[in-house]
Amino acid sequence: MSKRILIVGGVAGGASCAARLRRMDEAAEIVLFERGEYISFANCGLPYYIGGVIPKREMLLVQDEKTMHAWFNIDIHTRTEVTAIQPAEKTVSVKDLRTGEVRSERYDALVLSPGAAPIVPQVPGLEEAQGRIFTIRNIADVDALQEFLTATRPSTAVVVGGGFIGLEMTENLRRRGLAVHLVEAAGQVMAPLDPEMATLVHAELRKNGVDLHLGSALAGFENGGKTVVLTDGQKLYADCTIMAIGVRPESGLIKEAGLAVNDRGAIVVDDQFRVKGADGVYAIGDAIEVRDFIFGEKTQIPLAGPANRMGRMVADIICGKDKHYAGTLGSSVVQVFGTQCATTGKNEKQLRQMGVDYQSIHLYPANHATYYPGASQMSLKVLYAPADGKLYGAQAVGKDMGIDKTIDVIATAIKAGMSVFDLADVELCYAPPFGTAKAPVNFAGYIAENIASGEGYFDDTPHLDALIAQGATVLDVRGKKELERVPMPSTLHIPLPELRSRLAEVPADQPVYVSCMIGVRGHIACRILQGHGIDAINVAGGAKLYTQSHLS
Amino acid sequence: MSKRILIVGGVAGGASCAARLRRMDEAAEIVLFERGEYISFANCGLPYYIGGVIPKREMLLVQDEKTMHAWFNIDIHTRTEVTAIQPAEKTVSVKDLRTGEVRSERYDALVLSPGAAPIVPQVPGLEEAQGRIFTIRNIADVDALQEFLTATRPSTAVVVGGGFIGLEMTENLRRRGLAVHLVEAAGQVMAPLDPEMATLVHAELRKNGVDLHLGSALAGFENGGKTVVLTDGQKLYADCTIMAIGVRPESGLIKEAGLAVNDRGAIVVDDQFRVKGADGVYAIGDAIEVRDFIFGEKTQIPLAGPANRMGRMVADIICGKDKHYAGTLGSSVVQVFGTQCATTGKNEKQLRQMGVDYQSIHLYPANHATYYPGASQMSLKVLYAPADGKLYGAQAVGKDMGIDKTIDVIATAIKAGMSVFDLADVELCYAPPFGTAKAPVNFAGYIAENIASGEGYFDDTPHLDALIAQGATVLDVRGKKELERVPMPSTLHIPLPELRSRLAEVPADQPVYVSCMIGVRGHIACRILQGHGIDAINVAGGAKLYTQSHLS
């Protein structure tokens, strides 16, 4: 007899799973339940539809029900909610949201791909503000916002939350002509970035007229939602508020069935997506707890890429393939007006929290040949284990091109188990419009090699002032004009070209911290000093990183 | 006593080597000889200077002599030629090209980075054509061409050779308003691509008004160079001719010193760049024979990226580091008007020649989310070992973005020893403007998995017609309009949505080749047929690849 497989949730993971299941098993009965109106819509495109970048609503509907059925013979039920699971009986209760009818459906395998819902904090005034508060999760959400924007032509929006959705909504509401207040409880937007990288995004937001409120959370609404009150006491006028604080796994169903959910509400699964204690039940996507690829700890990483891969993999597993999910790396990218930021793996905040020994490096390589018009410097940070060079993560922020590429190469290197030293020899494509003969990742490898060779490297820029206060020597080797243009503290100034002839001026009785604009000339100067027996330490990222680290 | 290190050649490899040497050894005496006027100029930017993309000549001068000396304390001699090596004495003969003076210089280490010179075939009429014939290797070359273009305002150019330089010169001369004939002796331009990929470049060239002569070589010049005669008898009018057939290692010096040069003139070195039989002599860059990274055979791959890395590595080796060059992969990218092509590793032509067992796959993934404006399909080909999935190489051709990124990820995977199957799980950054939730490399991994699972895959499109002539069944599962829009031969037509209900029409007594537009629906149809016991084989790349393979 053929298998009966039920899938709960028809977007990313669920839809991928259904299609792959059919390709693996022509005979299986595959039934897909989707609470919403549509399956397989472009959830990551929703902000761009609001901004008009994606001009037509139907462009969001990636795979329609009819085609999905015709190609894959999937029995699709939209506007249908699975309201309960009976694991012992291998049945689920299903409610038709159009008719209200409830029925029971049996399964041999059940795949839960319910996703995660936007968090809406229960602040004072919330209820009275309804109609002015929006979330961005599905087509119904953007329909509602679109209607509001068209009907009321609002002038001002508050976006609560500076993550992916918050940033993309900010950009797209600005594109639509609204004044935007972006409110973020943390001291920075874009949590996957470390603070000194996030300041670049802050600058870009401000440059584009966004009123940025950092370190301040939503406290409540007044005036029927037209006044947004922040925890720091500020009151912002708002025609509407977008809630983009984060998401919460839609795991109610599984919790009620008495199955395993972690303390943050994520469904607990093994490396084959099996839900413990429930034979034939699998869960995938944003609702589950995943293994972190690098350290193996349990975490939650709600991203579309992994959800899609899980959908395919769980289908293979249900059809008898011995596959195991190796964990999620958390590679991501976001566009914020003219700035792009991409990250993969762990950041410094996380490593510090975990108590892991790490080395960080900062560099400013060009995204393509500098003599070819349009080149720009990216800000790249790489984190790795000092002992063996094991790659922990990377962050890149920049303009135009090369940001996603650089992080994709590092993400691939991490997956492959390459060390930071291996990056020195990675051989990438090069032509002037596309890259540089020595790619950004090559430079990262070079710097790591230099550090491993015993070269001093100071990557703690925020504490440079304290060092100086304690009497350290900081030698700036830039030219005079550069010093004026991008100031940073130092105790001694000798331009690199004069260093060899002015060595006598450099105190030799204590380590000399050497800085320049981005760390390149600092490195050269360190090697000169070291060659003359002076203990020299290169200040990572020079004045650029210093400036960046002191912005808010 | 400090080491005396002489470097011959001040571009890519030589300049990198000099700078790294100094950083490794502050005390060494480092002397750089460069025959030309400039060190460290942007050789890869030369075509773009001719086209005006790089508007100013000084932008080509990446690192000037003065800075190089001031930063690195390198003793630089431009317009100085090393005319002979005396390996036994560890001396070289050096000629000052300004004064004609010859002197002897001793070395502890000698690094040869002479590069490779454009090949100019000795055809009839060559001499009379002088003044109209140009090569593109250095600043003097582009100065001469620039002067010619400015002074004579020519209308027509012939570019001989469809490699990187030939293609870039073609684009840039068109940009400058010239009519361009591109002459290529082989049946295709851009040798690293396989023929069915190169046709996309041919189409782009023709679309941009280039008169393309394939399979026809330069036979000679008449009329003082104003008539270019081809081997097929055609005569082309030309105000000027650019010679971009290829390059020949500048190994005369080493040959004359009685040292090892291979039959194609490349300097033979070990994996530490040591020239055999000459203590303290090293060679790097375009002039040497390199180890191919994948199979280890000896070859020549003149590219800027590897040359730069060799420069750094040989400096480390000279300074006592135990480094070994693992070989060159040959990652490259070129822009041809609105088309970009990137490649890494081996192509099918090479694998066939080597008699290696390989599997090739063709796919047409989108460069970013299709619902986000500006998405385009790229043509991606991946080659690997059927037995273990070892990656052999990849080629991508497309528009806009994602071409270099896709190949860079695969190049990294190859370097890391990942298999094609590992590509399925690579986790790349995704947001609608940058990529797709399932990246092109993920799809490549999926297809390879499917093939390994025993799914039939036919990647021999050029022979599809022969198959049909032999009585094979070819089932096209596209819609009627698609069939008309992009025709390809078939013996049976059932649109995918109707396949399950029309199974009886499919002959079950022989394998069924299934085709569609790009191979996606073909795969689904194959799975349906196989699910019903019919032997089905997916025709790789469907009508798109068929069309591409039948273009010239």
Side-chain angles (χ1 to χ4, degrees), chain A residues 16 20 22-26 42-46 48 53-55 59-60 62 69-73 168 175 293 301 303-306 308-309 312-313 316 321 323-325 327-335 339-344 370-373 400-401 403-405 407-413 415-416 418 423-435 437-439 442 445-447 449-450 453 455 496-498 500 520-521 523-524 527-528 531-532, chain B residues 16 20 22-26 42-46 48 53-55 59-60 62 69-73 168 175 293 301 303-306 308-309 312-313 316 321 323-325 327-335 339-344 370-373 400-401 403-405 407-409 411-413 415-416 418 423-435 437-439 442 445-447 449-450 453 455 496-498 500 520-521 523-524 527-528 531-532:
Chain A
S16 292
R20 177 67 175 171
R22 173 57 70 222
R23 297 197 304 272
M24 296 298 288
D25 187 348
E26 176 66 12
N43 40 7
C44 300
L46 300 176
Y48 297 99
V53 178
I54 297 175
M59 293 173 76
L60 295 173
V62 175
H69 176 73
W71 288 17
F72 297 108
N73 187 24
E168 287 172 347
R175 190 173 271 136
F293 181 80
I301 305 175
L303 287 171
N308 274 283
R309 267 188 301 286
R312 179 184 171 90
M313 193 178 275
D316 284 353
K321 292 211 173 203
K323 292 205 168 177
H324 297 265
Y325 190 65
T328 299
L329 195 52
S331 306
S332 72
V333 60
V334 67
Q335 181 181 286
T339 290
Q340 312 179 345
C341 1
T343 65
T344 190
T370 49
Y371 56 78
Y372 191 90
D400 303 322
M401 58 173 283
I403 300 301
D404 53 338
K405 178 168 77 171
I407 295 301
D408 278 355
V409 165
I410 297 178
T412 305
K415 267 283 191 184
M418 274 183 155
L423 293 182
D425 289 323
V426 162
E427 190 190 325
L428 305 184
C429 303
Y430 161 59
F434 302 98
K438 298 174 191 174
N442 295 142
Y446 295 162
I447 294 173
E449 272 184 3
N450 292 336
S453 299
E455 216 185 284
L496 175 59
E498 300 168 23
R500 286 186 180 87
V520 172
R521 279 171 292 167
H523 165 60
I524 299 168
R527 299 303 297 153
I528 295 172
H532 292 91
Chain B
S16 292
R20 177 68 174 171
R22 172 58 69 222
R23 298 197 303 271
M24 296 298 288
D25 187 349
E26 176 65 11
N43 38 8
C44 301
L46 299 176
Y48 297 98
V53 178
I54 298 175
M59 293 173 76
L60 295 172
V62 176
H69 176 74
W71 289 18
F72 297 107
N73 187 25
E168 288 172 347
R175 190 172 270 136
F293 181 80
I301 305 176
L303 286 171
N308 274 283
R309 268 189 301 286
R312 180 184 171 91
M313 193 178 274
D316 284 354
K321 292 211 173 202
K323 293 204 168 179
H324 297 264
Y325 189 65
T328 299
L329 195 51
S331 307
S332 72
V333 59
V334 67
Q335 181 180 287
T339 290
Q340 310 178 346
C341 2
T343 64
T344 190
T370 49
Y371 56 78
Y372 191 89
D400 303 324
M401 57 173 284
I403 300 302
D404 53 338
K405 178 168 76 171
I407 294 301
D408 278 356
V409 165
T412 305
K415 266 284 192 184
M418 275 182 156
L423 292 182
D425 290 322
V426 162
E427 191 191 323
L428 305 184
C429 304
Y430 161 59
F434 302 97
K438 299 175 192 174
N442 296 142
Y446 295 163
I447 294 172
E449 272 184 3
N450 292 337
S453 299
E455 215 185 285
L496 176 60
E498 301 168 21
R500 286 187 180 86
V520 171
R521 280 171 291 167
H523 165 58
I524 300 168
R527 298 303 296 152
I528 295 172
H532 290 91

